[in-house]
Amino acid sequence: MEYLDFELPIKELEEQLQKCAIIGEESEVDVTNTCKEIEDKIINLKKDIYENLTPWQRVQLSRHPNRPYTLDYIKALAGDTFMELHGDRTVKDDKAIVGGLGKIGDQSFMFIGQQKGINTKMRQYRNFGMANPEGYRKALRLMRMAEKFGIPVVTFVDTPGAYPGLEAEERGQGEAIARNIFEMCVLKTPIITIIIGEGASGGALGIGVGDRVLMMENSWYSVISPENCSTILWRSWEFKEKAAAALKLTSKDMSALKLVDGVIPEPLGGAHSDRETTFKTVKETIVKLLAELQAKEIPEMVNERIEKYANMGVYEEN
């Protein structure tokens, strides 16, 4: 188990609990009450910490190395029914974006999302979840396929941004993202988008347009990361915490600003602390939202999607 800086008090208590249990096993001393007291302290401490997280701490939690990634969600939701599809039919298969067909119950879905990788070697293989233009074009190809066969689309957003390399720009990174945003706005099939970790800049928007856009409780969604914002404004990463607060990037802030349609609660301690409960909650949410969307006629659904995004940023002065 890996702990973030603000989780170290929890680590100390859990280590005490382990020592207490070992003493009970190796001796005839009854430590039941002592262990119970420590367990209660751990629960209360977790509530105090996780219910009062700062925006920067939520950013840290969204990057937790044990946090489930896109393929974890897909495998938990679709199991052995998932069949990955590859390539954009133009350049190559971008490993930073995965996609394919799978089922939840008897309903088929087209699952698409950024995949970061769980260790250094896999992160390099996945380019740290930063897609090239061919990744977004692969995603669009799969979405058009879903539209053709009347299959709903579920996208999982988790990226520090689109890949900013020279070769990506040469192959039309900006155009690929803009094309996806346009095509997703008018796609004639339901789209459910879930930000499961990091949702940064155009890299997130490239697969982030949906009839329903939701955020996991400890994810973030913003035009720029706190570190990069701090670098631009103060020429240093030292102000990243201040930048995180100013950007209003948490799920609570985004929901209040009506830039997302809802927040999916996570277990106490984050999505990684109880994966089974996390996956169950996400599954139930997808099934519920799809039922709502399928009750609408396609033209009505598409018009509502377009209107939702057209109204973003509109405000009235008092």
Side-chain angles (χ1 to χ4, degrees):
M1 182 68 180
E2 296 190 43
Y3 295 86
L4 301 171
D5 291 343
F6 61 87
E7 295 176 313
L8 292 179
I10 299 172
K11 179 182 179 182
E12 292 177 6
L13 284 177
E14 289 182 342
E15 288 175 349
Q16 289 180 24
L17 181 62
Q18 289 176 357
K19 291 177 182 178
C20 183
I22 291 172
I23 291 172
E25 291 174 0
E26 296 179 348
S27 67
E28 297 180 357
V29 178
D30 185 3
V31 295
T32 305
N33 291 334
T34 304
C35 287
K36 183 65 170 61
E37 288 178 5
I38 297 174
E39 287 174 355
D40 290 341
K41 286 182 180 180
I42 291 173
I43 292 172
N44 291 331
L45 180 59
K46 282 185 174 181
K47 287 181 179 179
D48 182 56
I49 289 175
Y50 294 114
E51 290 176 2
N52 298 284
L53 292 174
T54 66
W56 173 245
Q57 287 171 338
R58 291 198 187 276
V59 171
Q60 290 179 291
L61 206 54
S62 76
R63 298 168 176 170
H64 197 288
N66 298 328
R67 193 171 176 86
Y69 296 128
T70 291
L71 283 176
D72 297 316
Y73 282 95
I74 292 174
K75 289 175 182 177
L77 296 173
D80 294 336
T81 67
F82 178 64
M83 179 178 66
E84 187 173 353
L85 302 172
H86 300 273
D88 70 336
R89 301 296 186 267
T90 303
V91 179
K92 63 178 181 179
D93 182 43
D94 189 342
K95 307 300 183 186
I97 287 188
V98 297
L101 293 164
K103 286 187 174 184
I104 298 178
D106 295 327
Q107 174 65 57
S108 295
F109 289 87
M110 182 66 78
F111 295 103
I112 301 168
Q114 286 111 352
Q115 176 68 17
K116 289 180 175 178
I118 60 175
N119 53 46
T120 301
K121 188 173 182 180
M122 288 184 67
R123 287 181 187 123
Q124 290 176 332
Y125 177 72
R126 298 288 183 183
N127 200 31
F128 299 87
M130 297 187 293
N132 280 279
E134 50 269 25
Y136 293 106
R137 288 169 182 144
K138 173 172 72 171
L140 181 56
R141 181 177 74 84
L142 299 186
M143 285 186 275
R144 284 173 172 165
M145 182 187 298
E147 178 185 49
K148 179 178 179 180
F149 295 104
I151 298 171
V153 174
V154 174
T155 66
F156 296 103
V157 175
D158 188 15
T159 180
Y163 183 59
L166 177 62
E167 61 271 30
E169 297 299 332
E170 289 174 340
R171 292 197 297 274
Q173 184 73 286
E175 188 277 336
I177 292 172
R179 174 62 58 183
N180 276 26
I181 294 172
F182 172 77
E183 296 286 354
M184 291 182 80
C185 281
V186 296
L187 200 72
K188 296 179 178 65
T189 194
I191 308 173
I192 298 170
T193 294
I194 303 175
I195 293 98
I196 58 174
E198 298 185 273
S201 193
L205 289 176
I207 59 168
V209 176
D211 298 291
R212 298 291 185 271
V213 179
L214 298 103
M215 294 179 67
M216 298 301 293
E217 184 179 355
N218 294 308
S219 64
W220 62 274
Y221 197 24
S222 176
V223 69
I224 194 171
S225 71
E227 295 93 332
N228 289 335
C229 177
S230 176
T231 300
I232 291 172
L233 294 181
W234 294 286
R235 300 293 188 268
S236 169
W237 279 25
E238 293 181 6
F239 299 92
K240 55 186 179 292
E241 295 182 35
K242 184 177 180 180
L247 286 168
K248 302 293 183 183
L249 44 65
T250 67
S251 58
K252 183 178 179 180
D253 290 327
M254 294 296 288
S255 181
L257 292 169
K258 298 182 179 180
L259 295 175
V260 297
D261 301 300
V263 177
I264 300 176
E266 296 183 20
L268 188 65
H272 59 282
S273 66
D274 187 350
R275 289 188 170 211
E276 187 175 339
T277 299
T278 299
F279 296 145
K280 181 182 178 183
T281 304
V282 170
K283 180 179 179 179
E284 291 173 350
T285 301
I286 291 172
V287 171
K288 178 183 176 182
L289 292 177
L290 180 62
E292 294 175 5
L293 294 172
Q294 287 181 328
K296 302 176 185 289
E297 296 293 331
I298 293 296
E300 177 191 5
M301 182 185 68
V302 172
N303 286 337
E304 286 184 2
R305 189 191 307 154
I306 293 172
E307 188 174 344
K308 179 176 78 168
Y309 284 94
N311 288 334
M312 285 185 182
V314 175
Y315 71 96
E316 295 181 0
E317 292 185 358
N318 296 323

